[in-house]
């Protein structure tokens, strides 16, 4: 009797753990949390750059930072990133039923009502964290304004921008730009968010092209993306230069030889992209791999800027987010395969040729 009871409890416990595992994996897949570390890295880099003038006598930047500011910056990044990903899947749910039926929402692994709740809670988390950060940040309420502006850009892209090709590709870059600026609206170093904007906009365009998405990327779209990127770069540099002329704020355009490091990393990524294209079996696989590696490469840029302007021990600490994010991607893939193998096989009756032809 006791053996039977123990066996039943083990079965029930295993079943409960299996359900928890499936729901947790579904939530992580729905919010794309494996790559959220790239957004956290962008924000933390800006925060460290903004506090480089507050370095203590021992050279420690972290002494000038209370633990609340980095935590709030991370929560803002998680909220905005998850909000954008979940909103995108909610909007595309009908299209995904035909093109990506394996995703959590079209596959039925997460209910539409639950999806709305998750999306709303993530937006609320970013908003509340932004308000709390604004009270503790020298930038004040401008940080909260940037949270709202970034959320607006995300919604614009999800609802309309991605169907406008060139406009959508530039919007993706601008989302990264303004998200990175949230911790320090005073722009301690313009080159950092500007490089993120340039990298993401061009990366997204090349991945879009390789994956052969629709509507197709034409020569006019390429000119619009490259021309728009150039105009935005010139506009940002002109505004920062005009606002900070003759004053300390001009430090946002400061130059030092160490800036050649992130530029060198950009050149290295071009070689990586070329190798990805050569080794990929299909254009779609090449585009997907390029997008993954390109987003992870943002952490390398962040680490380079921190190393040049703040300190290399902080740069190495930030760089740890790169393997962490990559391992998270691989863990979720392994987790998904493991759960699929643990499910009982589904059998379907083979239809006869008469049934296929509609005959009685």
């Amino acid at each position: 009797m006791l053996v039977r009871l123990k066996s039943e409890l083990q079965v029930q416990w295993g079943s409960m753990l299996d359900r928890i595992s499936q729901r947790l994996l579904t939530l992580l897949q729905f919010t794309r949390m494996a790559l959220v570390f790239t957004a956290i890295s962008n924000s933390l880099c800006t925060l460290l750059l903004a506090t480089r003038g507050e370095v203590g006598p021992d050279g420690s930047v972290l002494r000038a930072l209370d633990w609340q500011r980095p935590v709030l910056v991370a929560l803002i990044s998680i909220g905005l990133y998850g909000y954008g990903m979940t909103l995108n899947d909610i909007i595309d749910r009908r299209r995904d039923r035909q093109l990506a039926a394996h995703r959590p929402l079209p596959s039925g692994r997460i209910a539409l009502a639950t999806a709305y709740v998750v999306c709303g809670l993530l937006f609320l988390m970013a908003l509340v964290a932004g308000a709390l950060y604004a009270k503790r940040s020298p930038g004040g309420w401008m940080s909260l304004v940037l949270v709202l502006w970034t959320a607006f850009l995300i919604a614009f892209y999800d609802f309309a921008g991605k169907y406008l090709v060139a406009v959508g590709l530039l919007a993706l870059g601008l989302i990264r730009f303004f998200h990175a600026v949230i911790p320090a609206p005073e722009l301690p170093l313009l080159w950092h968010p500007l490089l993120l904007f340039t990298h993401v906009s061009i990366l997204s365009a090349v991945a879009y092209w390789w994956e052969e998405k629709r509507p197709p990327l034409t020569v006019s779209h390429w000119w619009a993306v490259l021309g728009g990127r150039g105009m935005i770069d010139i506009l940002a540099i002109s505004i920062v230069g005009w606002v900070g002329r003759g004053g300390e704020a001009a430090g946002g355009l400061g130059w030092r030889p160490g800036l050649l490091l992130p530029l060198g990393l950009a050149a290295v990524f071009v070689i990586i992209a070329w190798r990805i294209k050569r080794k990929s079996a299909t254009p779609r696989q090449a585009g997907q791999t390029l997008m993954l590696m390109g987003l992870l490469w943002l952490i390398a840029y962040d680490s380079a800027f921190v190393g040049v302007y703040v300190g290399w021990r902080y740069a190495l600490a930030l760089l740890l987010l790169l393997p962490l994010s990559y391992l998270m991607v691989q863990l979720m893939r392994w987790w998904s395969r493991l759960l699929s193998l643990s499910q009982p096989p589904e059998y379907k009756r083979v239809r006869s040729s008469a049934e296929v032809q509609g005959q009685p």
Side-chain angles (χ1 to χ4, degrees), residues 48 51-65 310 313-314:
L48 289 169
T51 56
R52 71 183 190 273
E54 305 172 26
V55 176
D58 62 345
S60 174
V61 174
L62 296 184
R63 284 181 178 273
L65 279 175
V310 182
R313 54 175 171 170
Y314 303 111

Side-chain angles (χ1 to χ4, degrees), residues 94-113:
R94 292 185 178 87
R95 173 177 171 274
D96 286 345
R97 286 173 187 165
Q98 297 179 339
L99 302 178
H102 62 281
R103 290 185 176 176
L105 199 53
S107 66
R109 287 183 288 136
I110 187 170
L112 181 58

